[in-house]
């Protein structure tokens, strides 16, 4: 039987789709890229944002129609939203055969062979599953994501993750190192260690800085990133490891969410704006040129103009390299769902635009400072816009377009590039050293 997997949502969900593909492959199922060639369609869903959930329901309605021509087609809904909406999905879209939560992917082979095995246990959280024994099916690029832990214990008041993905549990250092060594042997040059709260990784013997150091000692691994960090768990020990090991990228994605102490408290983020500011200042003073990026939620319940201005002020002070700004939307099942969503939509949009515009000017200013400098760029391949150009990334994660395409340079090489132009999103450069940079 051939399976088509459609994925919505965050990087963790994309990784889960690779796990699902691994489970299916191991059990004799094949994968297909086309829905009309599939015997099974699995929709891996996300419930973190309302928008992704709505798109997923629309997609399910469309693919249910395929059953008119192929009544034997099996449609399964897996992932976060499957766990959250279970019975609602089954009632609303009758074409769906089953729903399966993020901890239950190992039930798939049995379920696909005998749909009568489907019951309520398919959509409960078990808080234990780590999928350590599964080999994910990947796309063979030069960069890969490796989940080091699952779940989250933080219970930020706006977030469904702890409810749909359960409590934190970490994979063993040994299984992570084995997986990354195999990836490097296959030609992978960069890995991103992935978890909802990577800094609180702990397998019982090793914490996150220990793991990071071990990973950085793997021969042939040129770059290591990690996401996502919670400010309360970002330790000095971690900053020291980043500073010391050259192949750990000088970049931390550190969601602040708001610059207002009152809102942070309501969000249950467990730090104050002052603590966040001193943490970023410490990182910047310890690691020269470190890039800090962030996430911000605008229009959280009770956010006044003063709170919004506090966020603007924090952005001005810390000058993030970039920010991802989201408009607050209530998620059922969270604590904040019971707060009055009292910031009008037009105000949320205006605040979001103000933050984006401020961030754009800061990003442009930071990026323009690189003009005239020679930087190390990990080549990702030919640019999508033109075959005459290549694209790559700096250590900081910034995208670079190289305005030439040298056939001797291949994806995965790190070359020296002289930056000659920049805007808020992209740097533009010319090759300044064809040899691989030895790291
Ligand atoms: S840290 Fe907060 S926002 Fe992030 S996954 Fe955990 S609960 Fe959600």
């Amino acid at each position: 039987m051939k399976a088509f997997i459609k994925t919505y949502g965050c990087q963790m969900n994309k990784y889960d789709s690779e796990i699902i593909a691994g489970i299916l492959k191991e059990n004799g199922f094949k994968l297909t890229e086309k829905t009309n060639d599939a015997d099974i369609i699995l929709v891996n869903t996300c419930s973190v944002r309302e928008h992704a959930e709505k798109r997923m329901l629309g997609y399910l309605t469309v693919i249910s129609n395929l059953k008119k021509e192929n009544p034997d087609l099996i449609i399964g809904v897996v992932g976060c939203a499957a766990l959250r909406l279970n019975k609602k999905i089954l009632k609303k879209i009758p074409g769906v055969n089953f729903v399966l939560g993020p901890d239950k992917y190992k039930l798939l082979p049995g379920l696909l062979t005998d749909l009568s095995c489907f019951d309520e246990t398919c959509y409960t959280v078990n808080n234990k599953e780590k999928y350590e024994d599964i080999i994910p099916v990947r796309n063979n690029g030069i960069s890969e994501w490796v989940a080091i832990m699952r779940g989250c214990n933080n219970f930020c008041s706006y977030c469904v993750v702890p409810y749909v993905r359960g409590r934190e549990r970490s994979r063993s250092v040994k299984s992570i190192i084995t997986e990354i060594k195999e990836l490097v042997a296959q030609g992978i040059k960069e890995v991103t260690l992935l978890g909802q709260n990577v800094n609180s990784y702990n397998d019982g013997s090793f914490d996150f800085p220990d793991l990071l150091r071990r990973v950085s000692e793997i021969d042939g691994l040129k770059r290591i990133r990690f996401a996502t960090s919670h400010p309360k768990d970002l330790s000095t020990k971690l900053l020291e490891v980043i500073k010391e090991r050259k192949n750990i990228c000088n970049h931390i994605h550190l969601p602040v969410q708001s610059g207002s102490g009152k809102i942070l408290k309501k969000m249950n983020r467990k730090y104050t704006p002052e603590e966040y500011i001193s943490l970023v200042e410490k990182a910047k003073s310890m690691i020269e040129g470190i890039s800090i990026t962030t996430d911000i939620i605008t229009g959280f319940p009770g956010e006044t103009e003063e709170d919004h201005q506090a966020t603007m002020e924090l952005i001005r002070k810390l000058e993030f390299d970039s920010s991802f700004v989201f408009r607050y939307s209530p998620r059922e099942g969270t604590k904040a769902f019971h707060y009055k969503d009292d910031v009008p939509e037009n105000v949320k949009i205006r605040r979001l635009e103000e933050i984006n515009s401020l961030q754009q000017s800061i990003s442009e200013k930071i990026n323009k400072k690189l003009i005239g400098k020679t930087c190390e760029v990990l080549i990702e391949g030919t640019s999508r816009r033109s075959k005459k150009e290549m694209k790559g990334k700096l250590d900081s994660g910034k995208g670079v377009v190289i305005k030439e395409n040298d056939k001797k340079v291949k994806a995965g090489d790190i070359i020296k590039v002289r930056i000659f132009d920049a805007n808020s999103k992209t740097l533009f450069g010319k090759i300044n050293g064809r040899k691989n940079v030895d790291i």
Side-chain angles (χ1 to χ4, degrees):
M1 288 170 96
K2 286 189 211 158
F4 171 85
I5 306 173
K6 170 88 179 168
T7 311
Y8 288 94
C10 67
Q11 203 54 51
M12 186 58 100
N13 247 25
K14 289 181 190 147
Y15 186 82
D16 274 9
S17 286
E18 294 172 353
I19 292 277
I20 292 167
I23 293 171
L24 293 179
K25 211 173 150 197
E26 211 171 281
N27 286 276
F29 292 86
K30 292 200 165 64
L31 300 169
T32 174
E33 301 282 310
K34 296 179 195 148
T35 48
N36 51 14
D37 188 31
D39 307 296
I40 304 155
I41 298 180
L42 297 175
V43 183
N44 188 6
T45 61
C46 168
S47 61
V48 171
R49 293 191 203 294
E50 197 180 6
H51 183 59
E53 218 168 78
K54 278 190 183 150
R55 274 174 52 219
M56 173 274 289
L57 289 170
Y59 180 73
L60 280 175
T61 310
V62 172
I63 57 161
S64 295
N65 288 327
L66 294 174
K67 284 205 164 185
K68 285 181 195 149
E69 282 169 28
N70 180 7
D72 294 332
L73 177 69
I74 298 174
I75 300 177
V77 183
V78 302
C80 305
L83 189 135
R84 205 177 79 77
L85 299 175
N86 49 70
K87 286 182 189 145
K88 275 191 203 157
I89 295 177
L90 294 167
K91 206 168 154 198
K92 202 166 173 176
I93 304 159
V96 172
N97 296 92
F98 63 86
V99 295
L100 204 60
D103 292 332
K104 301 296 173 90
Y105 300 145
K106 285 183 184 167
L107 297 178
L108 266 172
L111 204 49
L112 292 170
T113 316
D114 179 3
L115 287 170
S116 69
C117 297
F118 174 62
D119 62 21
E120 293 202 354
T121 60
C122 292
Y123 48 85
T124 48
V125 180
N126 82 358
N127 287 321
K128 288 194 188 99
E129 185 57 74
K130 300 186 222 167
Y131 298 112
E132 287 194 284
D133 51 336
I134 305 295
I135 303 166
V137 174
R138 295 179 155 110
N139 281 333
N140 300 325
I142 55 149
S143 301
E144 284 299 352
W145 298 74
V146 175
I148 59 166
M149 60 190 297
R150 297 177 76 82
C152 183
N153 293 347
N154 284 333
F155 290 91
C156 300
S157 64
Y158 51 83
C159 181
V160 289
V161 167
Y163 306 97
V164 291
R165 287 191 170 269
R167 301 299 161 270
E168 280 174 18
R169 62 268 194 194
S170 301
R171 289 177 59 185
S172 68
V173 164
K174 193 166 167 245
S175 81
I176 296 166
I177 298 288
T178 305
E179 182 175 344
I180 298 176
K181 279 187 177 167
E182 277 166 17
L183 288 173
V184 172
Q186 289 160 22
I188 294 300
K189 309 294 179 196
E190 178 184 70
V191 293
T192 304
L193 307 179
L194 184 64
Q196 249 88 32
N197 183 17
V198 279
N199 299 160
S200 70
Y201 171 90
N202 199 313
D203 76 344
S205 307
F206 299 98
D207 62 11
F208 186 61
D210 297 332
L211 170 71
L212 204 51
R213 180 183 294 282
R214 293 279 192 103
V215 172
S216 75
E217 286 163 358
I218 295 175
D219 271 349
L221 187 58
K222 293 183 177 177
R223 283 187 177 174
I224 304 141
R225 302 182 185 282
F226 55 89
T228 294
S229 297
H230 192 294
K232 79 173 167 51
D233 297 309
L234 190 90
S235 63
T236 306
K237 182 177 170 188
L238 175 59
L239 295 173
E240 278 161 0
V241 176
I242 299 172
K243 182 185 166 134
E244 192 191 314
R245 304 292 304 168
K246 191 159 185 255
N247 57 351
I248 301 174
C249 291
N250 269 3
H251 172 213
I252 303 175
H253 184 66
L254 196 63
V256 63
Q257 307 300 12
S258 173
S260 153
K262 178 192 93 189
I263 296 296
L264 285 176
K265 197 154 187 241
K266 243 181 134 178
M267 286 177 165
N268 193 28
R269 289 292 289 176
K270 303 180 182 99
Y271 53 84
T272 62
E274 295 73 27
E275 283 163 347
Y276 183 92
I277 290 167
S278 71
L279 184 60
V280 171
E281 286 174 345
K282 180 157 86 179
K284 285 186 177 177
S285 71
M286 279 178 71
I287 306 164
E288 201 195 330
I290 192 160
S291 156
I292 308 280
T293 55
T294 200
D295 291 339
I296 292 166
I297 296 172
T298 189
F300 190 76
E303 185 189 74
T304 60
E305 208 47 40
E306 204 182 314
D307 298 319
H308 169 60
Q309 287 310 324
T311 301
M312 297 283 280
E313 199 42 50
L314 183 132
I315 298 169
R316 274 187 212 102
K317 185 172 177 64
L318 294 180
E319 298 202 318
F320 296 107
D321 287 70
S322 66
S323 304
F324 300 91
V325 193
F326 305 92
R327 259 184 293 155
Y328 172 77
S329 67
R331 309 305 293 129
E332 204 177 339
T334 63
K335 192 167 178 205
F337 187 73
H338 304 288
Y339 300 157
K340 192 168 173 222
D341 186 16
D342 55 359
V343 181
E345 218 45 39
N346 62 333
V347 175
K348 285 182 190 171
I349 292 170
R350 194 250 306 150
R351 289 178 186 167
L352 179 134
E353 286 170 353
E354 282 176 10
I355 295 172
N356 274 338
S357 154
L358 172 62
Q359 182 58 57
Q360 204 177 327
S361 63
I362 294 169
S363 300
E364 190 165 339
K365 186 177 93 179
I366 294 174
N367 289 353
K368 281 201 185 301
K369 280 189 193 156
L370 291 171
I371 294 175
K373 296 217 162 100
T374 297
C375 304
E376 293 178 5
V377 176
L378 175 65
I379 299 298
E380 295 173 319
T382 302
S383 149
R384 243 181 291 160
R385 271 194 336 189
S386 162
K387 285 193 173 129
K388 291 182 187 154
E389 296 173 351
M390 293 182 292
K391 61 176 179 155
K393 268 203 188 90
L394 296 189
D395 177 78
S396 62
K398 292 180 202 292
V400 184
V401 172
I402 300 146
K403 291 284 192 181
E404 54 191 309
N405 197 345
D406 186 329
K407 296 280 176 279
K408 285 184 220 123
V409 177
K410 49 186 195 318
D413 285 348
I414 293 183
I415 61 167
K416 289 191 173 173
V417 171
R418 191 168 172 80
I419 306 297
F420 68 83
D421 199 5
N423 58 34
S424 61
K425 296 219 160 31
T426 314
L427 305 164
F428 301 90
K430 286 265 187 184
I431 299 174
N432 204 17
R434 280 185 171 74
K435 276 197 174 154
N436 281 8
V437 174
D438 183 20
I439 57 164

